[in-house]
């Protein structure tokens, strides 16, 4: 398990090859086994490929052009995160009205589900990155509206997935756990 966790990396560059439906279903199945408070199973997945992904490109492009009107190069390079990705899965978490604690717990559960998808992806030979910022559009309203999510859902992750152009194998330096731990 530790070896698998150490091997997992954010992969951002993909081959144009599409991801098979069977593999997408395996990712979704893996997600649904995540721990979750009171079995609320608070996740929902929106699959974007082909035409729907092309439409998302337009949403992201409008967002970036509005945000960076004087930086066309930045807009273009940021767009590559989507245009070079064959599959995007947007994951939402349910909001429990009037219960902030439960709503937070739902986000924690959905985060666990995304981690399961990340590990599953690697086993299937797929690379993945969880995006929130920029074209990830998690902290904006445009993607929420585009996928048709309800008022009771909040976005947690925009997962860019595909066959990697290359695997990242260098070890990412981590702070030793002792520096992050207080033994009481
Ligand atoms: C909640 C969350 C949000 C992230 N958002 C972005 C993002 O918007 N863009 C991006 O390129 N990577 C994003 N990442 C990926 C991180 O940058 C990456 O996991 C980190 O650099 C560690 O690298 P590793 O995953 O290869 O170990 C995000 C990761 C998490 C967990």
């Amino acid at each position: 398990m530790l070896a698998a966790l150490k091997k997992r990396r954010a992969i951002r560059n993909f081959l144009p090859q599409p991801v098979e439906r069977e593999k997408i279903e395996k990712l979704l199945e893996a997600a649904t086994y995540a721990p979750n408070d009171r079995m609320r199973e608070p996740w929902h997945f929106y699959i974007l490929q082909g035409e729907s992904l092309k439409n998302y490109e337009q949403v992201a492009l409008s967002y970036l052009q509005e945000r960076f009107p004087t930086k066309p190069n930045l807009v273009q390079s940021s767009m590559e995160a989507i245009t070079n990705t064959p599959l995007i899965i947007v994951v939402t978490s349910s909001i429990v009205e009037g219960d902030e604690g439960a709503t937070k717990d739902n986000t924690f559960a959905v985060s666990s589900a995304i981690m399961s998808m990340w590990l599953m992806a690697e086993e299937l030979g797929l690379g993945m990155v969880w995006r929130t910022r920029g074209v990830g559009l998690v902290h904006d309203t445009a993607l929420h509206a585009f996928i048709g999510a309800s008022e009771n859902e909040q976005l947690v992750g925009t997962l860019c997935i595909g066959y990697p152009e290359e695997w990242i194998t260098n070890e990412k330096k981590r702070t030793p756990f002792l520096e992050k731990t207080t033994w009481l």
Side-chain angles (χ1 to χ4, degrees), residues 61-77:
L61 186 60
S62 306
Y63 164 83
L64 289 172
Q65 282 172 337
E66 206 172 291
R67 192 133 183 246
F68 306 108
T70 58
K71 297 182 176 164
N73 290 342
L74 174 68
V75 170
Q76 200 191 331
S77 62

Side-chain angles (χ1 to χ4, degrees), residues 16 45-46 78 84 125 128 138 156 166:
F45 309 97
Y46 295 86
S78 304
N84 295 340
M128 175 178 135
V138 161
V156 179
E166 62 179 341

